[in-house]
Amino acid sequence: MNTPRTLTGAIAFALLGLAATAEAQSGADARTLDRVVVEATRLRGVDGFDTPASVTRIDLGEEASGANVQASERLGGVPGLLARERQNLAQDTQLSIRGFGARSTFGVRGVRLYADGIPATLPDGQGQLSHFNLAAGDRIEVMRGPFSALYGNSSGGVVRITSAEGVQPARVDARITAGSDDSIGASARWLGRAGRVGFNLAAGVFDTQGYRDHSAARRESANARIDIDTRGDDRLTLVFNHVDIPQAQDPLGLTREQADADPRQAVAVARQFDTRKSVSQQQGGATYAWRPSAAHEVALSTYGGQREVEQFLALPAAAQGNPLNSGGVIDLDNDYAGADLRWAWQSEWAGRPAEWTLGANTDRMRQHRRGFENFVGDTLGVRGRLRRDERNRVDNRDQYAQAWWQASPRWSLLAGARRSEVRFRSDDRYVTAQNPDDSGRVAYRETTPVAGVVFHADDDLRLYASAGRGFETPTFNELGYRADGGAGLALDLRPAVSRNFETGLKWRTGDGMRLEAALFRADTDDELAVASNVGGRSTYRNAGRTRRQGLEASLEAPLRGEGRWQLAYTRLQAEFRDAFLVCARSGCTVPDTPVAAGTRIPGVPRDQAFARLEWPVAAWRAAAEAVAVGAVGVNDLGTESAPGYALLHLELSRRWVLRGSTLRAFTRIDNALDHRYLGSVIVNEGNGRFYEPGPDRSWLLGLEWNLR
């Protein structure tokens, strides 16, 4: 499927949306709109509707008919955001916002992630979604645009998940699912309150054989949140999180020919080396909010955690004959911690409502990285000799300020700035006559101002504009090797610096309809790009200027009888504005192939559309969901791409009200039309195995029990 067909599908979605809107206006009962405050804006008393920022809030308390395991299940309707499930728990979900983060081959880069206030993005900008616990969750907030820069390094967008608070009377939620590919999931949550203490305890397990060969995985998670009202309005919140992925097989990517011949297959080297990954992570945090008066709040947050990763790669033994090679087994021990101190004031200034925030933040990571050969003698896929041993450290020290002011009944202003310092240090403990000392250090400093204005056209319409500056440092993985093949860190890499602009509107009606639309542009200098892939090593360089610009729109409307219609569309043009050189052949170490100015940035579709229609009939609820994604480039040269696709998903559920509880049975059919498609891509994969096929028609059955 090509981009024009995708765009045609998006237009069809829009026409259906207009029809649904008309139905909503004629049949929905008017109701008073609730005030919705979103934490992502860091404003205590300002509705997200009144801010000059694109922020989407997803209510995780709503009925879900999916496996409820991956965050990508709940992010499909967010404009500007692309969450691609890779059918590979060894590599995590691909996530990008307005094109930021699209270059990541594993984990998440360029986007800031938070779970209950604890960063899931390390100070160097590398993050992961694997420990987001949907069973415990209350909501997910997604911020796009200039104001994301107030979160510091690698904040092309922000995704925050927040656990539910304890309630009285207490409730217990239990859920079990079974589906295609021998997938089984189970989770339970206990929400309650005893006096001044509220609690949320949740745990879940998911086990699957995987859609593709050699992609079996198991994921176990637990989450706890405890809120203690200490005195007056003061509160202490404690959070704990655990995730264990004992072994997730990695089927690796496929060439286009392999994907067309058999999308379920794993490449031969995946079996030869038994490519796999194991992850164990534990973390905890505490926040104390002190409110000495109605106008003032002082909040201190601290956190700490440990993440252990072991990964077996399909690196040929011959490539490890190079004395500079770090081996085919990665062993990472990460210890991380941080603190944030924030003062907020909310009152009036010059007779008009105002709110100010001042804060300071520090995060640190201590990493022990070791590399081993992935063979012993003729036995492949086992840990062999040590080939790398280094201690890495990265720290940030940031200060930030933000001010909001209702300057007049129709105008409000929001402005802020953040000063960031990010310091890297690596101490090499594996030094031989053939492998010189790779130790080194580097520091990056940047100030990111942002400002925006909102015009209150009437009670239900806001027009706004905002502008800001953002930056993204290289991660430790990108600093690890020099493009010229020399020893030491790639200290010549510079942070990418972006200038971001956005203008948009927000409209709502008394019957619950919401429409948001935005035009945006981000111009980046010193964009980071791959220089070469040789012997399992990726090196990076600054590729010059890039531009990401486009529009995004979303519409939500109620239907008669508590039904709902949802529509989202994104048009994104992302391209390199300067020509640069890359390696385009096996064994190349010196970039020699030009990438022309105007080439599309890989990993970014030009068009993306989402539509969902829900309608209840008595105790039954049905839903239809359509997703369309345009063609996606897979390499910087723009010589290959994954074709676009459109998918249809169907849901049906039935609810029974029992004494003191409810029982819900549900089923979901994904890719109901059994369309063959390439669900995700591995950008600039050195062996040309760019493609990760999406599953054919699949099913899921589930039961959910709620006891109050």
Side-chain angles (χ1 to χ4, degrees):
M1 178 178 173
N2 56 29
T3 299
R5 290 179 60 189
T6 305
L7 185 56
T8 300
I11 295 172
F13 293 162
L15 293 176
L16 289 172
L18 293 175
T21 301
E23 172 71 11
Q25 289 178 321
S26 64
D29 295 330
R31 61 179 184 272
T32 302
L33 291 171
D34 294 329
R35 180 173 174 273
V36 179
V37 176
V38 289
E39 293 183 358
T41 61
R42 288 182 169 146
L43 293 171
R44 294 171 57 202
V46 183
D47 194 316
F49 184 72
D50 293 320
T51 62
S54 294
V55 184
T56 299
R57 172 178 163 137
I58 302 162
D59 184 1
L60 297 179
E62 296 180 350
E63 293 182 351
S65 295
N68 213 39
V69 173
Q70 305 285 355
S72 57
E73 299 176 42
R74 310 302 294 270
L75 295 173
V78 180
L81 181 149
L82 180 64
R84 298 165 71 98
E85 183 50 54
R86 306 179 65 177
Q87 310 305 313
N88 184 351
L89 286 179
Q91 297 295 348
D92 210 350
T93 299
Q94 286 183 341
L95 181 71
S96 63
I97 294 180
R98 293 182 177 176
F100 288 99
R103 81 176 189 276
S104 181
T105 57
F106 62 91
V108 178
R109 305 181 200 180
V111 176
R112 299 290 298 184
L113 308 174
Y114 291 85
D116 284 322
I118 298 177
T121 300
L122 295 173
D124 68 339
Q126 181 72 48
Q128 74 286 320
L129 290 162
S130 59
H131 69 294
F132 273 29
N133 195 309
L134 298 183
D138 174 68
R139 64 190 181 276
I140 297 177
E141 296 173 4
V142 181
M143 175 184 282
R144 292 94 66 201
F147 276 90
S148 301
L150 288 180
Y151 282 83
N153 179 27
S154 295
S155 53
V158 178
V159 179
R160 297 174 56 110
I161 186 171
T162 303
S163 297
E165 297 184 16
V167 295
Q168 186 62 256
R171 59 177 290 179
V172 175
D173 304 320
R175 178 187 181 93
I176 186 170
T177 61
S180 299
D181 307 313
D182 296 328
S183 299
I184 298 177
S187 64
R189 178 176 71 170
W190 180 22
L191 291 172
R193 189 165 188 87
R196 303 174 69 88
V197 179
F199 57 88
N200 174 352
L201 307 177
V205 61
F206 177 72
D207 194 281
T208 181
Q209 288 301 304
Y211 166 68
R212 293 178 58 197
D213 296 338
H214 195 73
S215 63
R218 180 180 177 88
R219 178 179 181 269
E220 303 167 358
S221 64
N223 201 83
R225 171 174 174 164
I226 301 172
D227 295 294
I228 305 171
D229 298 328
T230 56
R231 61 177 186 177
D233 291 332
D234 299 352
R235 170 173 284 194
L236 173 65
T237 299
L238 306 173
V239 294
F240 305 93
N241 179 271
H242 165 79
V243 66
D244 186 31
I245 304 175
Q247 181 170 300
Q249 294 177 329
D250 188 349
L252 305 180
L254 301 177
T255 66
R256 183 63 182 275
E257 293 74 17
Q258 291 169 333
D260 289 342
D262 180 7
R264 284 183 174 267
Q265 69 174 301
V267 293
V269 292
R271 294 189 178 279
Q272 288 175 343
F273 289 93
D274 190 16
T275 49
R276 61 198 186 273
K277 182 179 181 180
S278 60
V279 177
S280 178
Q281 175 175 298
Q282 295 74 226
Q283 65 182 25
T287 298
Y288 187 76
W290 174 48
R291 298 181 176 91
S293 68
H296 297 271
E297 178 183 272
V298 178
L300 173 63
S301 299
T302 62
Y303 73 91
Q306 182 181 48
R307 183 176 177 89
E308 299 174 353
V309 179
E310 183 183 51
Q311 185 171 11
F312 287 77
L313 307 176
L315 186 63
Q320 297 171 66
N322 183 338
L324 299 179
N325 194 280
S326 58
V329 179
I330 299 173
D331 188 311
L332 290 176
D333 291 334
N334 289 324
D335 294 309
Y336 54 92
D340 185 279
L341 178 62
R342 181 170 68 252
W343 167 72
W345 173 85
Q346 180 185 353
S347 186
E348 289 188 353
W349 184 63
R352 305 296 306 173
E355 186 170 335
W356 299 342
T357 301
L358 295 174
N361 162 262
T362 182
D363 302 287
R364 69 163 180 84
M365 178 189 72
R366 301 293 182 263
Q367 179 187 83
H368 187 192
R369 176 187 288 267
R370 293 182 295 171
F372 299 86
E373 294 175 344
N374 58 358
F375 62 92
V376 176
D378 294 331
T379 304
L380 304 180
V382 296
R383 181 184 289 212
R385 292 186 304 157
L386 179 70
R387 298 296 299 274
R388 185 177 188 176
D389 187 0
E390 63 190 37
R391 302 297 178 100
N392 298 323
R393 292 184 288 176
V394 58
D395 305 83
N396 75 273
R397 297 178 181 176
D398 293 12
Q399 305 83 43
Y400 57 89
Q402 180 175 285
W404 175 86
W405 185 41
Q406 184 77 48
S408 72
R410 286 187 175 273
W411 294 92
S412 63
L413 307 174
L414 180 63
R418 189 178 185 110
R419 175 65 177 174
S420 299
E421 179 182 9
V422 186
R423 300 177 299 174
F424 295 80
R425 177 174 175 175
S426 180
D427 296 320
D428 192 355
R429 307 292 179 87
Y430 184 80
V431 180
T432 68
Q434 294 79 32
N435 190 325
D437 190 349
D438 291 324
S439 300
R441 65 178 68 190
V442 66
Y444 302 105
R445 299 172 181 85
E446 198 68 46
T447 299
T448 53
V450 295
V453 58
V454 179
F455 176 62
H456 301 232
D458 61 35
D459 289 344
D460 295 321
L461 177 62
R462 303 290 186 267
L463 305 176
Y464 70 91
S466 58
R469 176 184 173 96
F471 80 107
E472 180 181 356
T473 69
T475 67
F476 246 125
N477 288 316
E478 292 162 338
L479 286 170
Y481 305 111
R482 288 169 46 173
D484 62 6
L489 298 179
L491 301 181
D492 60 331
L493 288 179
R494 299 179 298 276
V497 178
S498 300
R499 298 172 300 281
N500 303 285
F501 308 92
E502 177 179 335
T503 183
L505 64 86
K506 303 178 184 181
W507 178 59
R508 62 186 180 184
T509 65
D511 57 20
M513 184 189 307
R514 289 180 175 268
L515 171 67
E516 297 189 9
L519 295 171
F520 59 86
R521 190 174 84 184
D523 291 325
T524 302
D525 295 331
D526 291 323
E527 183 82 29
L528 290 162
V530 171
S532 66
N533 280 301
V534 179
R537 285 186 169 186
S538 294
T539 65
Y540 294 82
R541 60 171 297 175
N542 293 104
R545 298 177 300 160
T546 60
R547 173 169 289 175
R548 300 168 174 88
Q549 64 181 355
L551 65 91
E552 59 186 35
S554 64
L555 171 68
E556 292 188 41
L559 300 176
R560 182 179 301 160
E562 299 185 356
R564 187 179 67 161
W565 174 265
Q566 183 181 3
L567 175 71
Y569 174 70
T570 305
R571 173 75 172 182
L572 175 59
Q573 181 181 353
E575 62 184 26
F576 296 107
R577 300 188 68 202
D578 288 334
F580 62 101
L581 299 176
V582 297
C583 281
R585 52 187 170 80
S586 178
C588 169
T589 58
V590 179
D592 57 5
T593 304
V595 175
T599 302
R600 290 174 57 185
I601 296 175
V604 181
R606 186 163 290 169
D607 296 288
Q608 181 184 345
F610 173 92
R612 181 178 173 87
L613 180 63
E614 297 181 12
W615 63 96
V617 180
W620 294 85
R621 178 176 289 268
E625 189 175 284
V627 178
V629 178
V632 176
V634 299
N635 58 1
D636 288 338
L637 289 171
T639 55
E640 287 196 47
S641 64
Y645 59 85
L647 305 177
L648 176 66
H649 313 308
L650 302 174
E651 297 177 7
L652 182 66
S653 65
R654 170 69 158 87
R655 176 178 292 276
W656 294 269
V657 178
L658 309 174
R659 178 176 295 181
S661 67
T662 59
L663 180 68
R664 186 173 73 97
F666 56 89
T667 183
R668 179 178 168 101
I669 300 176
D670 284 313
N671 192 7
L673 302 181
D674 203 21
H675 180 67
R676 178 173 285 194
Y677 69 106
L678 297 171
S680 58
V681 299
I682 307 171
V683 172
N684 290 317
E685 207 280 337
N687 298 294
R689 299 192 293 257
F690 302 113
Y691 306 100
E692 295 177 308
D696 48 22
R697 184 187 296 117
S698 58
W699 58 271
L700 180 135
L701 298 173
L703 284 175
E704 189 174 66
W705 179 60
N706 309 110
L707 174 64
R708 297 177 184 268

